[in-house]
Amino acid sequence: MRGGIFDDNYQIEKEDFVSYIEKLNKKVYRHKEAVLNALPALFKLQDLKALYQDDADKNFKRLCCEYLPLKFSRRHGDPSRPWNKFSINTRNENDGSKILDYQGNWRDIFQNWEALAHSYPEFMEGMIHKFLNATTFEGYNPYRVTKYGFDWETIEPDNPWSYIGYWGDHQIIYLLKFLEFMEAYYPNKLATYFSQDLFVYANVPYKIKPYESILKDPKNTIDFDFEKEENIQFKRNEIGVDGALLRDTTAFIYKVNFVEKILATVLAKMSNFIPEGGIWMNTQRPEWNDANNALVGNGVSMVTLYYLRRFLKFFNKVLDQDTTSEFEISNELLAFFNKVSQTLVAHKQLLEGRFTDENRKQVLDGLGQAASDYRTQIYDQKFSGYKTAVSKASLLEFTSTALDYLEHSIEANKRADNLFHSYNLMTVTDQNSVSISHLPEMLEGQVAVLSSGYLSTKESLDVLDGLKNSALFREDQYSYILYPNKELPKFVHKNTIAAPDVTSSELLSQLIADGNTQLINQDGNGHYHFNGSFNNADSVKVALSSLSHLYAPLVEKDSKKVLAIFESVFDHKSFTGRSGTFFGYEGLGSIYWHMVSKLLLAVYEVTQKALYESEDKKSIGRLYDHYFEINAGIGVHKSPELYGAFPTDAYSHTPGGKGAQQPGMTGQVKEDVLSRFGELGVKVRNGAVEFNPEILRADEFLTTKEVFNYINLAKEKCRVDLEVGSLGFTYCQVPVIYQKATQAAIKVFLTDGRVSSFQGKSLDVQTSQMLFNRGGEIEKLVISVVKA
């Protein structure tokens, strides 16, 4: 529901499409009115692609590329969260006519489209364009994506829930999945975007502060520009949704190519790279998991770094295969790129060992200042519109160097128990150094490092073995919690200062002696406590300031020490949010089912990599064992008594000591669909479909005759009689029948009565494209599977 479903195969209704163009850009609509009016009432996606393919109007071409006829979609909104309001627009209230509409928070839309893309491959292009055209020039994504553009969060003085910021939301891995799909289904298609200025930047009324300000207060890094929002809304009213796109100095919508969009996204992450720490989370919004939302500011994400490693490996390969020798990118982004490249090259010798805190700060300064200069230039002056060629060789050199740094950090974040750190903490200890400290083990980091593609089969098995033996494993549910469970301190034990800390400070000792309780007090048992009205370090600073007139020398001498003691008592920096304080949702002892399904998919990917690299059978068998153990722990395989709910319903989480809680169609369903296709052996390589169910268990094949009911592409109810030793499923809405055999082969039954045969496990590209095109030419596929 959060991603929507396609209305009717690849069919497009003229009325909806024309209305969409008019709402997006009134000028384009007027310019293309004759072309739009000439369209038939119903036409196919292929007709639309033919319409815009050679059109000279880049804005029209972009809008056509982005068009997706989705329906039955809603944005995030749980009944337990009353501030989340949503509606599902399906019918016009005035005349009852059908409405095609979709909206969703960024992560919900794109994570759910991942599964949808495999059933409607021809819409992958539109999904990629929608993703890239909703990102900003700084390389971030706004809050919500809708059919008619994108939204951002605003400051509302009377709304305590209002907050602004750019969500991290694993932007890298979401985009990468679509790019990987596109390259598999339509080889070399991505390369056709490299030099075409078909992409734009979202214009969001945020201004990320300069690097120096971010260093001083990393939790308060974005200003809301009210005047800019007014200007954006004015342009929206004037020309349509496109009024919210970034413009250059000539006031035209600024257009760039695919390479620039990818580079802007990658540089946003690399400019926040802290060696051996991860990607600095400093844009006021958390990563994928709400449970970590308090880490913003001092949090450093190894999770994003693991995914960035996979992203750069993929981009490096696609770029290397392209024959183009250079690409035009904006002068301003090129300057940013050059500064980042120079910083990485200048410190590359440090990769031979470990970074000191001073080394780490030097690298971060170079990267962070480069991003700051780039942003400030665009905020103040806009894009000039001038572009310069960047060579493929320099891009490849950059990705190679960046990969060296990322992989060095991965090695530095391996724990003694064979797990990997997920999120770290950064501390600017003085003007010239940045230290890194580690948080406890987290499931999310193991999922990401397994997905990174960096680990060998043996190392992946070490992680999975370590995970099974860790505090993250919950025996009662045979599954994994997000974070280790822990005992929270009793209230009476909180805010207690160790006596040696008090005596180590002349100021604190003197205040106790004088009976001054502005900063510290002593209870009847002789224990020491900070003033109970304090809520953070700023409260301590205010108290220290008020003491200056009486204790000036001591305040000047001990202020830093007192603040350090305050942090050691409360450890605010390590506070992750609900994961460290709640007992429900993603709280203490809680299984978050979406993350367990992400783990399942990651283990599937590792298994496929091992099979592709022809690893030894024992290692592959052990990977199988881990995969099916994780799978068995997921709710659908459990009894209602154990699961605590109907096992086939999607639930958000299972707290310790309770059954499944908070029903709702979470992203878990998407991972489970992808994993199931993986078990069935459906794989697309080089434009051809392969049916190779190596991981599929033999006991899944029927032991009695059954009837397989399905809906075909013509929306007709159909049935297939399945024999003993077979099974059935649909792919792109075409029935696929597996039959046990002694030799692998495929029979393609066409609707015109013809039958074509293929030896082996793969279709050819032409037949595969017929399947992807969902044209109704194929009645069914019968696959002979070699299975004991």
Side-chain angles (χ1 to χ4, degrees):
M1 291 171 67
R2 292 187 187 176
I5 57 174
F6 287 107
D7 179 45
D8 185 7
N9 208 11
Y10 291 131
Q11 185 167 276
I12 295 174
E13 297 181 358
K14 171 185 175 179
E15 183 178 357
D16 185 71
F17 176 69
V18 172
S19 172
Y20 163 83
I21 295 293
E22 185 175 16
K23 287 181 180 179
L24 266 291
N25 194 312
K26 296 172 186 176
K27 291 181 180 179
V28 170
Y29 170 75
R30 288 195 295 269
H31 185 235
K32 292 293 180 181
E33 195 167 5
V35 174
L36 295 171
N37 288 337
L39 291 170
L42 295 173
F43 56 98
K44 301 289 186 184
L45 178 60
Q46 290 294 347
D47 300 326
L48 177 60
K49 290 185 177 184
L51 178 71
Y52 71 71
Q53 193 64 46
D54 298 319
D55 198 292
D57 188 330
K58 292 180 179 178
N59 283 322
F60 179 64
K61 198 169 183 176
R62 167 179 54 82
L63 296 178
C64 291
C65 284
E66 279 188 29
Y67 177 75
L68 298 168
L70 289 157
K71 64 182 180 183
F72 201 65
S73 167
R74 68 167 176 89
R75 75 175 182 86
H76 185 292
D78 293 325
S80 58
R81 303 176 187 181
W83 61 90
N84 278 337
K85 298 178 181 179
F86 65 88
S87 62
I88 303 174
N89 300 319
T90 58
R91 294 286 172 185
N92 190 303
E93 293 181 1
N94 297 322
D95 58 14
S97 59
K98 180 174 64 179
I99 290 177
L100 298 183
D101 187 31
Y102 65 90
Q103 60 168 298
N105 294 356
W106 180 274
R107 64 184 180 190
D108 296 333
I109 282 280
F110 291 111
Q111 73 182 3
N112 285 297
W113 284 359
E114 278 183 38
L116 197 60
H118 293 286
S119 290
Y120 297 88
E122 285 289 314
F123 279 123
M124 287 180 186
E125 190 173 9
M127 293 173 177
I128 291 172
H129 278 74
K130 186 70 177 180
F131 188 111
L132 290 174
N133 288 335
T135 57
T136 68
F137 83 91
E138 303 109 324
Y140 295 100
N141 55 268
Y143 176 45
R144 187 180 303 126
V145 175
T146 73
K147 178 179 181 179
Y148 299 109
F150 50 87
D151 299 328
W152 50 84
E153 293 174 297
T154 60
I155 293 176
E156 303 170 55
D158 298 326
N159 181 1
W161 294 107
S162 73
Y163 199 64
I164 65 169
Y166 286 125
W167 295 74
D169 272 345
H170 296 354
Q171 184 185 24
I172 289 291
I173 191 62
Y174 286 177
L175 174 58
L176 176 59
K177 289 293 184 73
F178 289 115
L179 301 183
E180 289 176 342
F181 298 162
M182 179 67 91
E183 191 64 13
Y185 279 80
Y186 306 100
N188 304 315
K189 178 66 176 177
L190 291 176
T192 65
Y193 305 148
F194 281 7
S195 301
Q196 293 190 68
D197 289 343
L198 284 178
F199 300 92
V200 292
Y201 289 116
N203 193 16
V204 175
Y206 294 168
K207 286 186 176 179
I208 301 176
K209 293 181 180 179
Y211 174 66
E212 306 80 41
S213 298
I214 295 173
L215 271 181
K216 290 176 183 175
D217 188 359
K219 289 183 180 291
N220 181 22
T221 60
I222 296 178
D223 287 325
F224 190 85
D225 190 330
F226 289 94
E227 182 181 354
K228 185 176 180 181
E229 186 182 42
E230 285 185 18
N231 293 335
I232 293 171
Q233 297 298 355
F234 176 82
K235 292 300 292 184
R236 269 184 168 174
N237 294 333
E238 181 184 32
I239 72 163
V241 175
D242 272 3
L245 297 178
L246 195 66
R247 294 165 182 271
D248 60 18
T249 53
T250 65
F252 285 106
I253 295 171
Y254 191 56
K255 302 175 187 68
V256 300
N257 60 34
F258 179 82
V259 171
E260 170 150 342
K261 287 296 288 191
I262 295 297
L263 203 54
T265 303
V266 168
L267 290 174
K269 304 305 180 189
M270 283 306 301
S271 62
N272 282 307
F273 167 66
I274 300 179
E276 301 176 347
I279 308 301
W280 190 11
M281 300 160 58
N282 58 18
T283 53
Q284 299 188 180
R285 276 302 194 180
E287 288 277 353
W288 173 87
N289 195 340
D290 292 341
N292 284 334
N293 55 14
L295 283 178
V296 168
N298 294 107
V300 191
S301 174
M302 281 302 298
V303 172
T304 296
L305 186 146
Y306 298 137
Y307 289 134
L308 184 59
R309 188 267 174 194
R310 174 170 166 173
F311 189 101
L312 288 179
K313 271 290 191 184
F314 173 83
F315 186 55
N316 195 70
K317 181 180 177 182
V318 173
L319 196 62
D320 192 37
Q321 291 173 346
D322 188 50
T323 56
T324 311
S325 60
E326 58 183 26
F327 310 94
E328 296 273 320
I329 65 172
S330 303
N331 285 358
E332 296 83 357
L333 187 71
L334 180 59
F336 180 17
F337 169 75
N338 287 336
K339 289 177 184 176
V340 169
S341 297
Q342 289 161 10
T343 298
L344 295 178
V345 171
H347 298 89
K348 195 172 180 180
Q349 75 280 0
L350 297 172
L351 296 176
E352 295 174 7
R354 296 298 296 264
F355 282 72
T356 65
D357 291 352
E358 290 75 21
N359 293 153
R360 199 173 284 115
K361 178 68 160 47
Q362 290 165 5
V363 174
L364 180 60
D365 283 345
L367 300 175
Q369 193 59 53
S372 183
D373 293 344
Y374 165 68
R375 292 192 302 264
T376 301
Q377 186 169 8
I378 306 305
Y379 292 147
D380 293 346
Q381 303 173 30
K382 300 182 180 180
F383 278 101
S384 64
Y386 293 107
K387 297 179 180 180
T388 302
V390 59
S391 70
K392 182 173 80 170
S394 63
L395 289 172
L396 291 173
E397 183 181 354
F398 164 73
T399 56
S400 177
T401 303
L403 281 165
D404 288 340
Y405 274 88
L406 300 183
E407 291 174 358
H408 177 272
S409 289
I410 293 174
E411 290 292 341
N413 276 269
K414 185 173 182 178
R415 295 160 43 103
D417 58 5
N418 287 328
L419 300 183
F420 285 78
H421 292 297
S422 303
Y423 292 96
N424 297 316
L425 299 172
M426 65 85 75
T427 303
V428 182
T429 50
D430 56 46
Q431 292 300 312
N432 299 310
S433 63
V434 170
S435 65
I436 294 293
S437 56
H438 302 297
L439 289 166
E441 64 271 36
M442 300 181 187
L443 179 59
E444 193 175 356
Q446 316 324 308
V447 172
V449 77
L450 288 168
S451 296
S452 70
Y454 177 69
L455 303 183
S456 67
T457 297
K458 181 186 180 303
E459 289 170 324
S460 295
L461 282 167
D462 288 342
V463 170
L464 292 167
D465 291 341
L467 190 58
K468 183 75 176 291
N469 294 318
S470 74
L472 297 175
F473 183 65
R474 234 181 87 175
E475 184 73 39
D476 64 322
Q477 290 286 336
Y478 213 79
S479 197
Y480 295 93
I481 57 180
L482 283 170
Y483 318 89
N485 207 351
K486 63 181 179 181
E487 286 290 326
L488 295 177
K490 299 281 192 291
F491 179 79
V492 293
H493 298 144
K494 295 181 178 182
N495 188 17
T496 299
I497 311 171
D501 284 340
V502 176
T503 56
S504 72
S505 167
E506 290 184 49
L507 174 62
L508 295 182
S509 299
Q510 190 63 52
L511 291 174
I512 292 295
D514 294 348
N516 187 312
T517 60
Q518 287 177 265
L519 187 62
I520 188 175
N521 61 68
Q522 188 175 22
D523 64 23
N525 294 321
H527 298 140
Y528 301 103
H529 312 279
F530 281 105
N531 187 316
S533 67
F534 292 172
N535 53 20
N536 55 35
D538 287 338
S539 303
V540 180
K541 291 175 184 177
V542 171
L544 287 168
S545 178
S546 68
L547 290 167
S548 293
H549 68 289
L550 291 175
Y551 301 92
L554 294 180
V555 168
E556 184 177 352
K557 178 176 180 290
D558 277 2
S559 283
K560 285 186 177 181
K561 178 180 284 188
V562 169
L563 287 166
I565 294 171
F566 182 80
E567 176 59 26
S568 71
V569 169
F570 292 100
D571 195 21
H572 284 129
K573 196 171 289 185
S574 299
F575 178 60
T576 57
R578 72 176 71 153
S579 64
T581 52
F582 282 25
F583 289 95
Y585 299 96
E586 296 97 89
L588 295 169
S590 177
I591 296 172
Y592 194 73
W593 290 109
H594 188 183
M595 188 53 70
V596 176
S597 288
K598 279 179 174 283
L599 174 64
L600 184 71
L601 184 59
V603 177
Y604 164 73
E605 291 175 342
V606 169
T607 305
Q608 288 301 298
K609 180 171 177 272
L611 287 165
Y612 184 74
E613 295 174 353
S614 301
E615 293 283 352
D616 67 277
K617 291 184 179 180
K618 184 178 179 181
S619 295
I620 292 171
R622 289 184 59 211
L623 287 172
Y624 282 177
D625 290 341
H626 278 292
Y627 179 88
F628 286 113
E629 281 186 359
I630 296 165
N631 198 25
I634 290 175
V636 72
H637 302 289
K638 294 178 175 174
S639 67
E641 182 181 24
L642 178 57
Y643 188 55
F646 288 109
T648 52
D649 285 352
Y651 277 78
S652 169
H653 61 283
T654 297
K658 292 184 179 179
Q661 303 287 302
Q662 197 181 9
M665 296 293 283
T666 67
Q668 177 196 358
V669 178
K670 174 260 296 185
E671 259 83 24
D672 289 349
V673 168
L674 295 177
S675 296
R676 184 57 177 158
F677 272 123
E679 290 171 29
L680 291 166
V682 180
K683 184 79 174 177
V684 181
R685 303 178 198 269
N686 302 316
V689 187
E690 176 184 301
F691 298 94
N692 187 17
E694 293 170 285
I695 197 172
L696 189 67
R697 291 171 294 188
D699 62 9
E700 294 229 36
F701 289 82
L702 295 173
T703 55
T704 59
K705 290 185 177 182
E706 299 284 351
V707 174
F708 176 36
N709 295 295
Y710 68 96
I711 306 295
N712 69 9
L713 286 162
K715 299 183 179 179
E716 300 166 334
K717 291 183 178 180
C718 299
R719 54 177 284 163
V720 175
D721 294 324
L722 297 177
E723 300 295 325
V724 173
S726 66
L727 62 80
F729 61 95
T730 61
Y731 177 52
C732 290
Q733 225 163 322
V734 171
V736 180
I737 313 302
Y738 279 1
Q739 297 177 337
K740 285 186 179 181
T742 56
Q743 191 171 355
I746 302 175
K747 282 190 175 181
V748 181
F749 292 81
L750 303 176
T751 51
D752 63 7
R754 290 180 297 146
V755 179
S756 56
S757 299
F758 297 88
Q759 294 302 310
K761 303 171 183 177
S762 298
L763 295 174
D764 63 4
V765 172
Q766 182 181 359
T767 309
S768 298
Q769 295 300 317
M770 287 169 59
L771 196 62
F772 304 156
N773 289 338
R774 300 170 61 97
E777 300 99 330
I778 302 176
E779 180 186 336
K780 66 180 178 181
L781 301 173
V782 177
I783 318 290
S784 296
V785 175
V786 180
K787 209 74 178 175

